[in-house]
């Protein structure tokens, strides 16, 4: 009797083990459920995993004297990044400063030549300012904007901006098209969203209920219209310099477009 019971138990154990093995073998042959790869028009392509913070060195130029224009400059340099990226930032700032000095000198000479003899013309009436804002600076991506303000005479100061974006891991300077799949009509999507969001802002600030010609032209789906951008894990920020999409009195304009 005892031997029979032991035999029954052994048969049951073998059956259970065999069943488990059969289930496992069949599971291995079942094709995995495919993961959806559908992307919307504003889906970002590159990975958005932020890395560790990067060391940043701020370069400065400060000049203030009665015999020269006022200059205040700050721009970033990243010791651990590619020389090309650092040089791109440095050149953008210093080239603009050099152009400012040339124009300021020319305007100073012209004003001095035409001013009344008793009028004092000072070079320190002119000014150049550059500063930067980092949106993200880590071991995955760098995204920042530099703003330029200068005055060389006239009724208004000049304002401009330039953005810089880098895929740190691959050492690639990014254009806006690099954020999206090649098959994505990202320019049309960005154009539509930017125009809509800008119009909503201008209704509040300027009372424009309909897109103006300058707004329409400044948001045509061309890459140069959206070349100034920064990005985070969740948003794409587009910057439009003074006069690009609105009257000069309204200054710089910007819109934030969420990644979907």
């Amino acid at each position: 009797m005892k031997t029979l019971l032991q035999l029954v138990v052994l048969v049951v154990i073998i059956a259970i083990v065999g069943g488990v093995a059969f289930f496992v073998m069949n599971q291995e042959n079942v094709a995995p459920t495919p993961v959806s790869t559908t992307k919307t028009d504003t889906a970002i392509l590159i990975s958005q995993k932020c890395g560790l913070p990067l060391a940043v060195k701020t370069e400065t130029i400060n000049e203030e004297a009665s015999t020269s224009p006022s200059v205040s400059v700050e721009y970033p340099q990243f010791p651990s990044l590619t020389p090309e990226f650092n040089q791109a930032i440095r050149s953008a700032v210093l080239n603009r400063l050099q152009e400012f000095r040339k124009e300021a000198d020319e305007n100073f000479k012209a004003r001095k030549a035409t001013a009344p003899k008793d009028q004092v013309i000072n070079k320190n009436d002119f000014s150049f300012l550059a500063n930067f804002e980092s949106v993200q600076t880590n071991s995955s991506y760098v995204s920042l904007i530099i703003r330029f303000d200068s005055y060389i005479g006239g009724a208004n100061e000049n304002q401009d901006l330039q953005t810089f974006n880098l895929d740190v891991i691959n050492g690639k300077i990014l254009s806006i098209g690099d954020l999206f799949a090649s098959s994505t009509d990202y320019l049309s999507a960005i154009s539509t969203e930017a125009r809509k969001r800008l119009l909503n802002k201008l209704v509040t600030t300027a009372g424009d209920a309909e897109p103006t010609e300058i707004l329409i032209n400044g948001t045509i789906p061309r890459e140069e219209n959206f070349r100034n951008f920064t990005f985070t894990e969740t948003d794409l920020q587009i910057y439009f310099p003074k006069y690009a999409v609105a009257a000069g009195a309204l200054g710089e304009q910007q819109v934030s477009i969420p990644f979907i």
Side-chain angles (χ1 to χ4, degrees):
M1 186 68 177
K2 184 176 181 181
T3 302
L4 179 61
L5 181 60
Q6 290 173 334
L7 180 61
V8 171
V9 170
L10 180 60
V11 170
V12 171
I13 292 173
I14 292 172
I16 292 172
V17 171
V20 170
F22 178 82
F23 176 80
V24 171
M25 290 176 64
N26 277 275
Q27 283 298 103
E28 290 177 349
N29 293 325
V30 175
T33 303
V35 177
S36 174
T37 57
T38 303
K39 296 180 184 297
T40 62
D41 281 345
T42 54
I44 192 165
L45 176 64
I46 62 175
S47 168
Q48 283 293 277
K49 294 181 180 178
C50 292
L52 299 174
L54 291 180
V56 183
K57 180 182 178 183
T58 300
E59 300 287 349
T60 62
I61 303 173
N62 291 291
E63 300 171 0
E64 190 168 355
S66 60
T67 57
S68 65
S70 174
V71 173
S72 178
V73 170
E74 291 186 347
Y75 64 92
Q77 295 286 271
F78 301 89
S80 63
L81 298 185
T82 63
E84 291 79 9
F85 186 64
N86 283 316
Q87 184 59 45
I89 295 173
R90 184 186 304 110
S91 295
V93 174
L94 298 185
N95 287 346
R96 288 174 187 262
L97 178 56
Q98 182 179 13
E99 185 63 25
F100 161 77
R101 293 189 194 280
K102 178 182 176 183
E103 293 180 356
D105 188 58
E106 291 173 353
N107 282 13
F108 174 74
K109 291 176 180 177
R111 290 176 65 182
K112 195 171 182 180
T114 57
K117 291 183 179 181
D118 58 345
Q119 183 176 348
V120 178
I121 307 295
N122 293 318
K123 276 192 175 182
N124 64 356
D125 290 340
F126 305 137
S127 62
F128 181 88
L129 172 67
N131 53 43
F132 70 95
E133 175 188 351
S134 294
V135 175
Q136 62 171 322
T137 53
N138 55 67
S139 55
S140 294
Y141 301 106
V142 171
S143 187
L144 62 93
I145 179 171
I146 301 180
R147 292 182 173 88
F148 304 92
D149 292 270
S150 62
Y151 179 74
I152 53 173
N156 299 300
E157 65 180 10
N158 301 314
Q159 295 179 344
D160 204 358
L161 55 87
Q162 187 170 347
T163 61
F164 299 87
N165 298 277
L166 181 73
D167 177 348
V168 176
I169 296 173
N170 296 304
K172 177 180 173 59
I173 296 177
L174 298 171
S175 64
I176 195 167
D178 293 320
L179 302 184
F180 302 90
S182 59
S183 60
T184 303
D185 188 8
Y186 67 91
L187 285 175
S188 293
I190 293 172
S191 171
T192 299
E193 281 298 310
R195 188 175 296 173
K196 178 179 70 176
R197 291 168 186 269
L198 283 168
L199 182 59
N200 288 340
K201 289 179 66 176
L202 294 175
V203 166
T204 303
T205 58
D208 293 329
E210 297 292 333
T212 60
E213 183 178 356
I214 188 172
L215 174 58
I216 293 173
N217 290 337
T219 54
I220 289 173
R222 295 174 182 159
E223 188 159 349
E224 60 264 30
N225 283 337
F226 308 105
R227 65 185 181 276
N228 287 305
F229 70 95
T230 59
F231 64 98
T232 66
E233 293 181 51
T234 58
D235 297 276
L236 173 67
Q237 193 82 11
I238 308 291
Y239 304 85
F240 300 92
K242 185 178 180 179
Y243 302 114
V245 292
L250 298 176
E252 171 194 325
Q253 297 295 314
Q254 54 182 278
V255 292
S256 181
I257 302 175
F259 291 127
I260 298 174

